[in-house]
Amino acid sequence: MALDLVARASRAPSVHNIQPARWRFNDLRVTLFRALDRTLPAADPTGHDVDISLGAAFEGMCLALSERSLFLDQVDFRPGEHAQGCAGVAAGTIASGCAIDSLAAHVKNRKSFRGKFAAVLKEDLAAIRSVAAEDAIIIDDRSCIRELAKSHDDATWRFASKSEYHEELWSWLRLSARQPSWGRDGLNADCLGLSAPERIAARALLSPRIFSRLSRLGVGSRLVSERSQVESASALIVFAPPRSTSSFNAGRRFYRLWLEITSIGLAAVPMSASADDAESNASIARMIDLPADRRIANVFRVGRPGVRQVPMSPRIPARELVV
C-alpha cells in the first residue's frame, strides 16, 4: 500500500519538476521529508518554491489516502527527523473514517500545457469563473491578458538573463530522450510541447555558452518568450493566499486549485516568473486591486489545449522516494 500511496502523492506538481518530497512509513505514522540535494539556489534562494512543492506533495498524500477512506491525524509540522540526506517537514498518523475527496479523481488528469491554447469558448469562461474564490482571482479581459503576457516575458527575461539562473534551468531541461533523467524528473521536451525541429534548436541555442552569446546580441529574450502562449489563454487565474499563510500550506491550496481547474476539463500551467518578479508581481496586484492582507503566490494561464494529448510529466519511481 505504501508504494501506491507514494506514487499517487508524487503526481503533485513541483518547481522545475525537481520532486523534493521523500516519505517514511512507520506502522501508521507517515513522515514527509525534504531531499536536501533537491534545491534551486539561483531560482529559489529562500526555499519558498520548494516549500510550496512540499505542501503540494503533502496534499497529494492526503488525496491518495482519502481514496481509501483514510486521513492523516495528529499532524506535526517540522518534526525534526533526519534520514538519508533528508530533513523532516511534516508527519501524521493514518486514521480511518473520512469521505473520498472529490478532487482525488482528477489527479491522474492534471497536466501542464505549455503550448498555445485553442480558441476561447464562452462555456470555458463560465467554467473558469466557477473556480473563482478569494484566493483565486480571474482575469479574462483580453487587453489585460495581453498586458500581462508582455509583463510575463519581461519578468522571465529578468531571471533568464542571469547566467546562474539560466545554467540552473539548463540542468533541469531534458531536451533529448537519450538523457538519463528524461523519464525521471525535470522539464522534458515532450512536456514543454517542443516539436522535433524546436528540440534540435533548443539543444543548440539554449546551452549556457551559446545562450550567453545570443543574449549579448539581444536575441536571448526571444528564445524564452511565452507571450503568444499567454495571449492564447482563455483566462489567467491569480493565486493570492493570505499573507499569513505559510508557503507549505499555500502549496497545499495551490495543488487543490490546479485540480479544480482540471475538474472543469481545462488545462493550466503556472506563470511563476510573474509572481516571483517584484515588478511584475506589483503590476498584477495593482491590476486586480489586491487586498493588503493577501499576496500573489502564483499565476495560472488556463484554457483548452490545442492538441488532443497532453504528455504526463515524468516521475521518479515510488520505491526511490521512500527513506
Side-chain angles (χ1 to χ4, degrees), residues 184-234:
R184 290 176 55 85
D185 58 15
L187 306 168
N188 73 30
D190 282 350
C191 294
L192 291 172
L194 300 180
S195 64
E198 287 172 334
R199 297 170 194 223
I200 295 171
R203 288 200 296 272
L205 301 179
L206 292 181
S207 65
R209 182 172 59 86
I210 300 300
F211 186 77
S212 176
R213 293 178 181 177
L214 293 174
S215 297
R216 288 195 294 271
L217 294 172
V219 180
S221 59
R222 301 178 195 173
L223 297 176
V224 297
S225 173
E226 295 181 320
R227 187 168 181 173
S228 61
Q229 293 95 317
V230 177
E231 289 183 344
S232 73
S234 296

Side-chain angles (χ1 to χ4, degrees), residues 116-133:
K116 288 185 180 180
F117 292 107
V120 179
L121 302 176
K122 288 184 178 179
E123 52 265 40
D124 291 343
L125 290 173
I128 291 169
R129 292 184 188 115
S130 74
V131 304

Side-chain angles (χ1 to χ4, degrees), residues 138-203:
I138 313 298
I139 299 175
D140 55 15
D141 179 84
R142 301 316 303 175
S143 63
C144 289
I145 291 174
R146 286 192 294 272
E147 180 181 337
L148 293 182
K150 181 183 182 305
S151 173
H152 180 66
D153 262 15
D154 293 342
T156 299
W157 179 240
R158 280 191 284 272
F159 286 112
S161 61
K162 300 174 183 177
S163 60
E164 64 274 17
Y165 177 93
H166 183 75
E167 288 173 8
E168 184 176 84
L169 174 62
W170 175 257
S171 73
W172 290 100
L173 290 178
R174 315 291 184 234
L175 300 176
S176 169
R178 296 177 182 176
Q179 289 177 262
S181 294
W182 168 268
R184 290 176 55 85
D185 58 15
L187 306 168
N188 73 30
D190 282 350
C191 294
L192 291 172
L194 300 180
S195 64
E198 287 172 334
R199 297 170 194 223
I200 295 171
R203 288 200 296 272

Side-chain angles (χ1 to χ4, degrees), residues 274-312:
S274 285
D276 294 343
D277 176 74
E279 185 175 334
S280 174
N281 190 302
S283 176
I284 297 170
R286 288 192 297 271
M287 178 180 288
I288 63 175
D289 195 19
L290 185 72
D293 63 344
R294 292 190 174 270
R295 63 185 175 89
I296 296 174
N298 217 313
V299 182
F300 289 102
R301 59 179 186 262
V302 182
R304 191 168 295 280
V307 295
R308 289 185 179 180
Q309 199 71 11
V310 180
M312 183 171 281

Side-chain angles (χ1 to χ4, degrees), residues 41-176:
D44 181 36
T46 66
H48 164 80
D49 291 341
V50 169
D51 281 346
I52 290 273
S53 303
L54 291 165
F58 191 78
E59 188 64 27
M61 179 60 71
C62 293
L63 290 165
L65 285 166
S66 86
E67 292 183 296
R68 300 170 182 263
S69 298
L70 302 172
F71 68 100
L72 287 178
D73 194 13
Q74 302 174 39
V75 175
D76 172 28
F77 295 101
R78 304 293 177 187
E81 297 184 49
H82 291 80
Q84 300 175 26
C86 299
V89 176
T93 301
I94 297 177
S96 60
C98 83
I100 297 176
D101 194 310
S102 61
L103 292 178
H106 302 287
V107 167
K108 62 181 180 299
N109 298 320
R110 185 207 61 82
K111 301 169 186 175
S112 292
F113 178 68
R114 293 181 171 84
K116 288 185 180 180
F117 292 107
V120 179
L121 302 176
K122 288 184 178 179
E123 52 265 40
D124 291 343
L125 290 173
I128 291 169
R129 292 184 188 115
S130 74
V131 304
E134 280 191 300
D135 64 359
I137 301 161
I138 313 298
I139 299 175
D140 55 15
D141 179 84
R142 301 316 303 175
S143 63
C144 289
I145 291 174
R146 286 192 294 272
E147 180 181 337
L148 293 182
K150 181 183 182 305
S151 173
H152 180 66
D153 262 15
D154 293 342
T156 299
W157 179 240
R158 280 191 284 272
F159 286 112
S161 61
K162 300 174 183 177
S163 60
E164 64 274 17
Y165 177 93
H166 183 75
E167 288 173 8
E168 184 176 84
L169 174 62
W170 175 257
S171 73
W172 290 100
L173 290 178
R174 315 291 184 234
L175 300 176
S176 169

